[in-house]
Amino acid sequence: MTSLPVLLELQQVHDNLRTIQRDLTAFPSDLADLESERKRLAKRLDQLEKEWTEGLSRKTTLETAFAAAQKVEERARAAVKQTQQKVHYAAAIREVDERERERAAAARPLKELTTRLETLEQERTTTSARHAETEAQFQTLHDIFLAEHANQVSARERLLQRQTELEAQLPAPDLARFNRLLEARQGKALVPVENGLCSGCRTKLRIPLLAQVRDHGLGTCESCQRLIHLPPRS
Ligand SMILES: [Zn+2]
């Protein structure tokens, strides 16, 4: 069984990190605006990229269809030249008309798509430039913001360092379980027992479980699966 003091301190480190992280992401409005603008632009760039890639692949398909229609039309025209009999000649001409319409029908979506791809390319260029510009503005203001919060930044560094040290003292499966609980239980993997209740989920703990926690220092809440411990001096 992992030692309780290590887990207690690790939980404390995570609590403190969360508080600091809240401070370090509570941006003033100008920085917050740049933050959401850079995200919006990055998302738009992704969409443009996706549409562009899809468009290119559709263009290949349309080009193939157009080339095929063109070939069929050429064959129909060649057939007209070789036709001697009048009655066959009229039919061959009709055939050419028909194939010509088909070729034109294949050309239309290809032309539309080519125009669309040009528009996309332009928007990609302007969006990309605006994204880079916003990103640079954000970084400048963010650096200033971090400089103004130098205390929290260095506290975070110390906490992260301590987190690494504490984690190194835990057996891998215990650490994995602790981290899973942190993730799944709003950052609270280890909680004290309060008046016979799990303070994580407020479930009343069974007497044998309480006895087990008293004997071993640690237990597992049967309801929320959090690690539970008795508060000091109880
Ligand atoms: Zn619980």
Side-chain angles (χ1 to χ4, degrees):
M1 179 69 75
T2 294
S3 82
L4 181 59
V6 175
L7 289 176
L8 278 171
E9 192 184 346
L10 188 55
Q11 179 63 61
Q12 188 61 53
V13 163
H14 279 286
D15 291 347
N16 294 344
L17 274 173
R18 208 171 47 244
T19 307
I20 287 176
Q21 201 51 34
R22 232 184 346 249
D23 291 347
L24 289 180
T25 49
F27 293 154
S29 65
D30 51 351
L31 192 51
D33 288 350
L34 283 169
E35 163 87 335
S36 57
E37 179 68 354
R38 87 205 248 260
K39 280 185 184 156
R40 190 187 68 77
L41 289 169
K43 195 171 158 212
R44 182 68 191 136
L45 271 181
D46 274 356
Q47 289 169 342
L48 289 168
E49 192 66 35
K50 191 155 166 270
E51 199 184 332
W52 170 262
T53 311
E54 285 167 2
L56 280 189
S57 117
R58 202 153 58 86
K59 194 179 177 196
T60 309
T61 311
L62 291 176
E63 277 169 347
T64 309
F66 176 73
Q70 222 171 6
K71 201 165 277 172
V72 171
E73 187 195 349
E74 279 162 20
R75 262 203 303 274
R77 285 188 190 281
V80 169
K81 284 189 190 136
Q82 283 157 18
T83 304
Q84 311 292 334
Q85 290 169 283
K86 207 172 177 183
V87 58
H88 288 160
Y89 186 79
I93 288 289
R94 276 201 303 278
E95 174 82 7
V96 167
D97 285 349
E98 179 69 16
R99 297 307 172 210
E100 202 178 71
R101 269 196 298 278
E102 282 173 11
R103 194 244 310 142
R108 223 170 293 125
L110 183 58
K111 187 161 180 288
E112 281 167 13
L113 182 59
T114 306
T115 310
R116 177 70 192 139
L117 284 172
E118 279 165 15
T119 314
L120 278 178
E121 174 76 276
Q122 280 168 12
E123 195 185 339
R124 256 191 347 161
T125 309
T126 52
T127 307
S128 175
R130 268 170 56 210
H131 181 250
E133 201 182 314
T134 310
E135 188 68 30
Q137 286 171 351
F138 174 82
Q139 289 306 337
T140 307
L141 283 190
H142 192 236
D143 287 350
I144 294 170
F145 175 81
L146 288 182
E148 287 166 354
H149 293 75
N151 287 343
Q152 283 102 319
V153 172
S154 59
R156 181 171 62 180
E157 273 166 29
R158 281 195 305 276
L159 286 166
L160 289 172
Q161 172 64 34
R162 188 63 189 143
Q163 181 188 344
T164 308
E165 290 165 7
L166 291 167
E167 286 179 352
Q169 296 174 40
L170 295 178
D174 290 0
L175 175 59
R177 181 177 172 214
F178 188 87
N179 284 336
R180 268 200 310 277
L181 284 168
L182 277 180
E183 180 82 19
R185 297 282 176 260
Q186 298 81 42
K188 292 282 184 190
L190 174 66
V191 295
V193 173
E194 284 170 1
N195 304 320
L197 302 179
C198 162
S199 64
C201 68
R202 314 307 300 172
T203 298
K204 189 161 175 48
L205 303 167
R206 294 183 305 113
I207 300 293
L209 178 55
L210 283 173
Q212 194 194 323
V213 175
R214 194 165 311 128
D215 291 347
H216 296 93
L218 264 178
T220 300
C221 170
E222 289 167 319
S223 171
C224 71
Q225 314 305 320
R226 283 185 180 93
L227 295 164
I228 47 177
H229 69 96
L230 293 180
R233 181 73 216 106
S234 67

